[in-house]
Amino acid sequence: MNIALPKLIQSFGFALLLISLFALSAHGQSTGGSFTIRSSVIAGGGGSSTGGGNLIVDGTIGQPAGGNTSSNGQFSQTGGFWQPQSGATPTPTPTPTPTPTPTPTPTPTPTPTPTPASNVVQFSSSNYSVVEDCTAVTITVNRLGDTSGAASVDYFTSDVTASERRDYITAIGTLRFAPGETSKSVAVLINEDSFVEGPETFNVNLSNPAGASLGAPAIATVTIIDDPTEPATNAIDDPRNYVCQHYHDFLNRPPDPSGWDFWTNEITSCGANLACIELKRINVSAAYFLSIEFQQTGYLVERLYKTAYGDANGTSTFPGTHQLAVPIIRFNEFLPDTQQIGLGVIVGQTGWETVLENNKQNFTTQFVQRSRFTTAFPASITPAQFADRLFANAGVTPSTTDRNAAIAEFGSAVNTSDTAARGRALRRVAENATLVTNEFNRAFVLMQFYGYLRRNPNDAPDADHSGYDFWLTKLNAFNGNFVSAEMVKAFILSSEYRSRFGP
């Protein structure tokens, strides 16, 4: 199973289980322009011929009337048919008009075979389809031509008639081809709903190639085929679909079978006890945020942004108008970065720790090379300055040991031009235990907006951070007890969340 809850949840005193486990031939035929013979034909000399043979003659050949009767077959005559008739003086055969010598058909010049593109990336098809369900559709990107060097290309989904909040989960990221690699795949998650809507479409787009050029097609259209019949109730009320949707919204992947079964059973074990079902749905939902998998992917991404850039300023009217510090990361930044760092990670499966560690190293190395980061942290600053700025942004006063460990990533260098060392130092601060504790409630509230509502806290229908401020204040008042604060309950029962999946 893939979901494992940290020890933190034990202090809540809930019944939630703490478990780290979350596919002619038959007749013969002769043709010559003037007649066609199939099977038996009329013998010369008249009489009758039987047996179902076929005789077809086109054109005016000889005498315009046949002789004796042909029966039990098919006889087609256009203009006339020559046959000697018994007892009659044959009509002399007319001298045929000389057949003109046909003009030879010129041999066409073959169209040259197009030279393959020298080095391109493109979709394997311009059209894909998938039947609506809590599932995924796999989109393939091929690399053609000279593949001897490395290459990369960005991909992103965009609505056509389908909606990313309701019908599918936004997929956005970068595909990287190693030398010799010719194919990569993108799995786009498809949601189940109970709307009667007919076929709907969205696009997957390629852009910003590096080490290659864009081929065609560079846009693939995905058609979601509507269910033949829709349930009478909202699709999110179905326990199995509810659990599957949480994998989509919080872990950015399809469910693994064992985890899907386990968390579904948590809810269905209540039978018809509505109070039990409500509590189980709340605890199961919160388990995805509290899981090792999310803590090491989505929550880590949130802390990396805080460590790199500090906080943003927000406005709230709760209880009166004021400014407040809010997480600086935005939904369109959080989503691709979380998908990248969590790619292929399923906690509990063999080798997941290695996959996660490699993802973290690759991601942080790329992160510190972004222009936003290099502008904030010029390579000319010293390792001590670099570490101190990171800890200041994180809001953490480090121990001497922690500070020295971050500085030591640069060895004896007097500047911070070493990209790999920058990534390691950034990660050291982002994974600092004090930061993990201090930022926990802020990130928990933020993920209510990102996971359930798929938007920023101050996006419409909100005009500012008042909602975020309200829930953070309440969660803090209950010392992080999300059940007593009724935070998760409020979001999963909200009309904004439920309207994603049904009327």
Side-chain angles (χ1 to χ4, degrees), residues 14-75:
F14 307 128
L16 178 63
L17 296 180
L18 307 182
I19 297 180
S20 290
L21 302 170
F22 264 89
L24 327 175
S25 59
H27 299 294
Q29 178 170 315
S30 172
T31 62
S34 59
F35 63 89
T36 301
I37 301 173
R38 296 187 183 92
S39 193
S40 302
V41 298
I42 301 172
S48 299
S49 174
T50 63
N54 298 318
L55 177 61
I56 301 171
V57 180
D58 295 318
T60 302
I61 304 176
Q63 136 183 0
N68 296 331
T69 302
S70 293
S71 64
N72 204 24
Q74 295 182 7
F75 182 88

Side-chain angles (χ1 to χ4, degrees), residues 297-307 311 326-329 334 338 435 439-440 442-443 446-447 450 468:
T297 56
Y299 184 30
L300 175 59
V301 169
E302 192 271 348
R303 298 194 312 273
L304 285 168
Y305 272 80
K306 179 174 175 62
T307 302
D311 290 325
V326 297
I328 199 168
I329 191 170
F334 172 82
T338 299
L435 175 60
E439 192 69 9
F440 189 86
R442 290 185 3 134
L446 183 65
M447 295 310 139
Y450 285 1
Y468 171 86

Side-chain angles (χ1 to χ4, degrees), residues 166-191:
R166 188 169 70 190
D167 302 303
Y168 69 98
I169 296 296
T170 293
I172 182 170
T174 301
L175 296 176
R176 291 179 170 83
F177 292 83
E181 279 192 304
T182 59
S183 182
K184 290 282 188 179
S185 296
V186 176
V188 183
L189 302 173
I190 307 299
N191 300 334

Side-chain angles (χ1 to χ4, degrees), residues 30 80 105 112 172 217 223 226 273 276 295 333 339 347 390 461 496:
S30 172
T105 302
I172 182 170
T223 300
D226 202 14
N273 186 327
C276 174
Q295 294 290 301
E333 297 168 328
Q339 289 178 357
V347 171
L390 293 177
E496 186 174 351

